[in-house]
DNA sequence: TCGCAGATCTTACGTCGTAAGTTGAGTCTT
DNA sequence: AAGACTCAACTTACGACGTAAGATCTGCGA
């Protein structure tokens, strides 16, 4: 996709071109020369707006910004503050959808020294929802830490147990099965369960499950009381164990 | 650190050298030429054992292997199966310690197309612990998905709210504070809380808190019964809301 | 009309991964 | 013991990358 109407460059146009390249060809293809080609100019012309590091930082900024927008739009402002878990859940799922559209993004975000400022509106909204629901700032703070990785896409399919076909058991696969009986059994169960779904693991369901664990745990802490959220961890643990 | 006694090359020696470079100078410094220099040979000599992709994959394999070893060693084999949460918790914390020793590792692991096979022993141990405690394979499976990112280091300090000094408020910082009152208030609380700790956020405590949320949630599911772990999510949520 | 300032292009350098071909030290045959 | 075969290690070379330095172009106020 070379060339387009000759229009003056700008930081935004450069970043848009970079995003285009990343979506089409992956992050490694985002080179100064390749982006310049899309903009129908020379690589060195980009340096008036960004160098390579700033280009990748800007790309991160753009994706995270897209996440923030997606997570904040189209949300009924929560009729009842008590429904805070649903609001937060929907925001996290919206964030995940964006990340699934940009599969190259999570490793990129992970390499950045700082999360881009475009996350702050999202964090602000989450904290607001939780505090208004009576969570207290300490708990909201911890919640941001707990949910951050999920929002920023650090929860991807990092686990495809025995991704090969189950039929033709290679000798090494058999050796592994003998050495790790529990995992072998788990793989069997997973295969049995997976009839109907796409892959071996329904990553969407896993994501929602983990999200539910975290949200329910936070809600339990909220109930114990925001006064001493830090020290209350054991109390909650004891309560849930009854 | 150049040169050492001239000893025949091998895949292991190459990977060890790469690990050395990564620890000392970071992942970007791990180039074929730099690793060759450490081994006192030419870059092209390495290609009999690894190319660049395999080098990074091997590096990942090594770190994750180190995690697995650290998480499996030095653990009393759990006197009571009911203490499964403590066992799993200690394993996760041991994994985290390794990651803290290799801060360059998480982004590297995140870029790999597959997690290396060296994680499997760790997963096996976790599944064994949970199943023996009566969790059922479905729940153990979900647990692996929930805990995986924490074990593989995808929970790092991605959040340093207003990392700058709080005193000299820059104009843009003030503008931000006005636009995002909840975050501003949260930062105040965090600063107040942080007296005594090192940074603004006690990342170790945040990690342990999130880990506790997940483990307590899993335990709640275990109690509901492994029979229909998938459908039981709402039941658990309802229970914790009582 | 001129000249200046900022945007863009040209050229060039050092580093990267690695393809292709060469050297040299064992080892195995006869 | 001598020649042939093997394969780890080396040499050379190429294209792509990020970017420093300086030349050129363009538009606008004087």
């Amino acid at each position: 996709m070379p060339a387009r109407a000759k229009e003056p460059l700008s930081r935004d146009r450069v970043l848009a071109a970079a995003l285009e390249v990343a979506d089409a060809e992956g992050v490694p293809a985002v080179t100064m020369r390749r982006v310049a080609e899309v903009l129908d100019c020379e690589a060195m012309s980009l340096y008036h707006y960004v160098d390579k590091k700033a280009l990748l930082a800007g790309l991160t900024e753009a994706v995270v910004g897209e996440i923030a927008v997606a997570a904040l739009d189209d949300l009924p402002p929560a009729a009842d503050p008590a429904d805070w878990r649903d609001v937060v859940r929907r925001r996290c799922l919206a964030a995940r959808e964006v990340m699934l559209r940009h599969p190259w993004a999570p490793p990129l975000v992970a390499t950045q020294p700082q999360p881009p400022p475009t996350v702050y509106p999202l964090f602000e909204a989450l904290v607001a929802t939780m505090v208004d629901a009576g969570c207290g700032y300490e708990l909201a703070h911890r919640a941001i830490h707990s949910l951050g990785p999920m929002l920023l896409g650090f929860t991807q399919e990092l686990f495809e147990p025995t991704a090969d076909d189950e039929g033709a058991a290679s000798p090494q696969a058999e050796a592994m099965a003998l050495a790790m009986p529990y995992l072998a059994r788990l793989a069997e169960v997973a295969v049995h369960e997976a009839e109907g779904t796409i892959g071996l693991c329904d990553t969407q369901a896993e994501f929602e499950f983990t999200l539910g664990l975290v949200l329910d745990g936070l809600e339990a802490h909220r109930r114990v009381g925001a006064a001493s959220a830090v020290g209350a961890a054991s109390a909650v643990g004891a309560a849930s164990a009854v």
Side-chain angles (χ1 to χ4, degrees), chain A residues 135-175:
Chain A
C135 283
Y137 280 95
E138 298 86 354
L139 187 56
H141 179 202
R142 311 208 96 128
I144 293 297
H145 278 279
S146 294
L147 294 173
M150 310 199 76
L151 288 165
L152 264 33
F154 299 159
T155 316
Q156 301 292 73
E157 38 261 69
L158 349 116
F159 187 49
E160 281 293 330
T162 63
D164 38 50
D165 40 326
E166 80 271 23
S170 70
Q172 64 178 10
E174 280 195 33

Side-chain angles (χ1 to χ4, degrees), chain A residues 49 63 82 150 190 238:
Chain A
Y49 307 98
V63 192
M150 310 199 76

